[in-house]
Amino acid sequence: QVQLVESGGGLVQPGGSLRLSCTASGFTLDYYAIGWFRQAPGKEREGVICMSSDGTTYYSDSVKGRFGISRDNAKNTVYLQMNRLKPEDTAIYYCAADTEGGYYSDFIQALNEYEYDYWGQGTQVTVSS
Protein backbone atom coordinates (compact mmCIF):
# COMPACT_ATOMS: atom_id res chain seq x y z
CA GLN A 1 0.00 0.00 0.00
CA VAL A 2 1.41 3.36 -1.05
CA GLN A 3 1.45 5.84 1.77
CA LEU A 4 3.04 9.16 2.74
CA VAL A 5 3.06 10.23 6.36
CA GLU A 6 4.01 13.70 7.55
CA SER A 7 5.20 14.48 11.06
CA GLY A 8 6.92 17.23 13.00
CA GLY A 9 4.29 19.92 12.98
CA GLY A 10 3.43 21.98 16.02
CA LEU A 11 3.35 25.42 17.57
CA VAL A 12 6.37 27.66 17.18
CA GLN A 13 7.06 31.32 17.89
CA PRO A 14 7.75 33.78 15.08
CA GLY A 15 11.39 33.59 14.08
CA GLY A 16 11.65 29.97 15.18
CA SER A 17 12.34 26.79 13.25
CA LEU A 18 10.66 23.47 12.61
CA ARG A 19 11.58 20.41 10.62
CA LEU A 20 8.84 18.37 9.02
CA SER A 21 9.32 14.78 7.88
CA CYS A 22 7.61 12.91 5.08
CA THR A 23 8.12 9.15 5.20
CA ALA A 24 7.02 6.88 2.40
CA SER A 25 5.91 3.28 2.53
CA GLY A 26 4.99 0.99 -0.32
CA PHE A 27 7.39 2.68 -2.73
CA THR A 28 10.90 4.13 -2.88
CA LEU A 29 11.18 7.91 -2.86
CA ASP A 30 14.49 7.97 -4.75
CA TYR A 31 12.88 8.00 -8.17
CA TYR A 32 10.11 10.43 -7.42
CA ALA A 33 9.84 14.16 -7.08
CA ILE A 34 8.62 15.23 -3.66
CA GLY A 35 6.81 18.45 -3.07
CA TRP A 36 5.62 20.23 0.03
CA PHE A 37 2.37 22.13 -0.11
CA ARG A 38 0.40 24.07 2.46
CA GLN A 39 -3.14 25.24 2.98
CA ALA A 40 -4.07 28.03 5.33
CA PRO A 41 -7.64 28.49 6.60
CA GLY A 42 -9.83 29.99 3.91
CA LYS A 43 -7.11 29.81 1.27
CA GLU A 44 -6.27 27.51 -1.60
CA ARG A 45 -3.49 24.98 -1.30
CA GLU A 46 -0.18 26.34 -2.55
CA GLY A 47 3.12 24.76 -3.47
CA VAL A 48 6.02 25.66 -1.21
CA ILE A 49 9.07 23.69 -2.26
CA CYS A 50 9.90 20.66 -4.37
CA MET A 51 12.87 18.40 -5.02
CA SER A 52 12.90 16.43 -8.24
CA SER A 53 14.45 12.97 -8.53
CA ASP A 54 17.69 14.47 -9.84
CA GLY A 55 17.98 16.78 -6.85
CA THR A 56 16.85 20.00 -8.50
CA THR A 57 15.02 22.19 -6.00
CA TYR A 58 12.23 24.61 -6.74
CA TYR A 59 10.98 27.26 -4.30
CA SER A 60 8.07 29.58 -4.05
CA ASP A 61 9.10 33.20 -3.57
CA SER A 62 7.42 33.29 -0.17
CA VAL A 63 9.85 30.79 1.35
CA LYS A 64 13.05 31.29 -0.64
CA GLY A 65 15.97 31.77 1.72
CA ARG A 66 14.03 30.44 4.71
CA PHE A 67 12.94 26.88 3.81
CA GLY A 68 15.01 23.96 2.59
CA ILE A 69 14.32 20.42 1.44
CA SER A 70 16.46 17.32 1.77
CA ARG A 71 16.25 13.56 1.35
CA ASP A 72 17.46 10.62 3.37
CA ASN A 73 17.11 7.73 0.96
CA ALA A 74 18.13 5.18 3.58
CA LYS A 75 15.12 6.22 5.65
CA ASN A 76 12.88 6.77 2.63
CA THR A 77 12.17 10.19 4.07
CA VAL A 78 12.13 13.76 2.83
CA TYR A 79 12.51 16.71 5.20
CA LEU A 80 11.25 20.27 5.10
CA GLN A 81 13.44 22.56 7.17
CA MET A 82 11.62 25.78 8.00
CA ASN A 83 13.57 28.68 9.47
CA ARG A 84 12.67 32.25 10.40
CA LEU A 85 9.03 31.28 10.53
CA LYS A 86 6.34 33.93 10.22
CA PRO A 87 2.69 33.93 11.31
CA GLU A 88 1.71 33.76 7.64
CA ASP A 89 3.42 30.37 7.42
CA THR A 90 0.63 28.95 9.58
CA ALA A 91 -1.09 26.19 7.61
CA ILE A 92 -1.55 22.48 7.23
CA TYR A 93 1.52 21.17 5.43
CA TYR A 94 1.29 18.25 3.02
CA CYS A 95 3.93 16.27 1.21
CA ALA A 96 3.22 14.74 -2.16
CA ALA A 97 4.98 12.49 -4.66
CA ASP A 98 5.18 12.86 -8.43
CA THR A 99 5.73 9.38 -9.83
CA GLU A 100 7.11 10.74 -13.11
CA GLY A 101 10.22 11.94 -11.33
CA GLY A 102 9.72 15.66 -11.68
CA TYR A 103 11.33 16.94 -14.86
CA TYR A 104 9.80 20.37 -14.71
CA SER A 105 10.20 23.33 -17.00
CA ASP A 106 10.04 25.84 -14.16
CA PHE A 107 8.98 26.30 -10.55
CA ILE A 108 5.40 27.04 -11.57
CA GLN A 109 5.05 23.56 -13.00
CA ALA A 110 7.03 22.01 -10.14
CA LEU A 111 4.70 23.51 -7.55
CA ASN A 112 1.49 22.68 -9.38
CA GLU A 113 -0.46 20.23 -7.23
CA TYR A 114 -1.87 18.50 -10.30
CA GLU A 115 1.60 17.15 -11.10
CA TYR A 116 1.46 14.97 -7.96
CA ASP A 117 -0.05 11.52 -7.57
CA TYR A 118 0.26 10.56 -3.90
CA TRP A 119 -0.48 12.76 -0.90
CA GLY A 120 0.00 12.58 2.83
CA GLN A 121 -2.67 13.47 5.35
CA GLY A 122 -1.02 16.72 6.44
CA THR A 123 0.49 18.14 9.61
CA GLN A 124 -0.47 21.41 11.30
CA VAL A 125 2.09 24.17 11.68
CA THR A 126 1.12 27.18 13.79
CA VAL A 127 3.37 30.20 14.10
CA SER A 128 2.24 32.39 16.94
CA SER A 129 3.53 34.15 20.02
Side-chain angles (χ1 to χ4, degrees), residues 44-55:
E44 293 186 353
R45 188 159 56 188
E46 63 170 343
V48 173
I49 193 169
C50 159
M51 178 179 280
S52 64
S53 59
D54 67 0

Side-chain angles (χ1 to χ4, degrees), residues 49-110:
I49 193 169
C50 159
M51 178 179 280
S52 64
S53 59
D54 67 0
T56 303
T57 303
Y58 302 85
Y59 301 86
S60 72
D61 288 342
S62 62
V63 305
K64 195 173 293 184
R66 300 189 298 123
F67 289 13
I69 187 170
S70 61
R71 294 176 182 259
D72 184 335
N73 291 334
K75 295 183 178 179
N76 214 26
T77 297
V78 172
Y79 301 100
L80 174 63
Q81 179 67 44
M82 303 186 293
N83 300 321
R84 301 199 305 276
L85 282 159
K86 305 175 182 180
E88 51 264 43
D89 294 318
T90 296
I92 299 174
Y93 282 72
Y94 302 88
C95 66
D98 176 357
T99 58
E100 295 186 5
Y103 301 99
Y104 307 115
S105 58
D106 55 30
F107 77 97
I108 294 174
Q109 182 185 9

